[in-house]
Amino acid sequence: MWVFTKTGFFSAVQNNQDSSLIHVRARFKGDLEKLCKAYGLDPDVKSTPENDYPFRMDFTREKWAEIMSEEARKIDYTNFKGSILADSGPVRERVYLDVWYTLKKNSIHS
């Protein structure tokens, strides 16, 4: 699952050694740290610079579901891309916009 939020960008998958855990990966360490801070958690971020996602952390399935549910409840914008510029600045907004544009350009309409 790819998750784009005002807190950051995350890739969440089942932990390959413990199916009770969700392995959350990030391109920026600060995204995981900010997420933990928002939910009162101690960040236990592992650095994996040789991997495609250089920062990783495990969450229980219950905690990850709670975080995702709360992120949905915290939606306070009518335009996500615009909220990124206001909260995270032009660099992240540009990256998110590039993803949006690539998906739009390559979408298949039925």
Side-chain angles (χ1 to χ4, degrees):
M1 169 192 289
W2 281 358
V3 181
F4 291 84
T5 71
K6 288 171 44 174
T7 306
F9 166 66
F10 309 98
S11 172
V13 296
Q14 178 176 281
N15 181 297
N16 64 4
Q17 296 175 359
D18 183 346
S19 63
S20 72
L21 299 174
I22 298 298
H23 193 61
V24 180
R25 306 168 305 180
R27 301 248 188 245
F28 304 99
K29 183 179 182 183
D31 287 0
L32 283 167
E33 290 171 340
K34 207 161 75 169
L35 186 71
C36 286
K37 183 178 180 183
Y39 293 95
L41 303 170
D42 289 327
D44 185 20
V45 179
K46 306 284 189 275
S47 178
T48 57
E50 70 285 351
N51 292 18
D52 58 343
Y53 292 94
F55 302 100
R56 297 155 185 264
M57 184 174 167
D58 289 318
F59 295 83
T60 65
R61 285 182 177 274
E62 294 75 21
K63 180 53 75 175
W64 184 248
E66 178 186 316
I67 290 169
M68 290 295 94
S69 179
E70 184 59 27
E71 286 294 312
R73 280 192 282 279
K74 288 175 17 182
I75 294 172
D76 62 353
Y77 46 81
T78 58
N79 181 295
F80 179 67
K81 295 182 306 294
S83 75
I84 295 306
L85 177 60
D87 286 359
S88 300
V91 173
R92 187 171 301 248
E93 183 210 26
R94 179 77 247 159
V95 171
Y96 282 19
L97 192 58
D98 286 348
V99 171
W100 175 86
Y101 179 75
T102 299
L103 291 170
K104 182 181 185 305
K105 180 175 74 170
N106 294 296
S107 66
I108 298 172
H109 301 286
S110 51

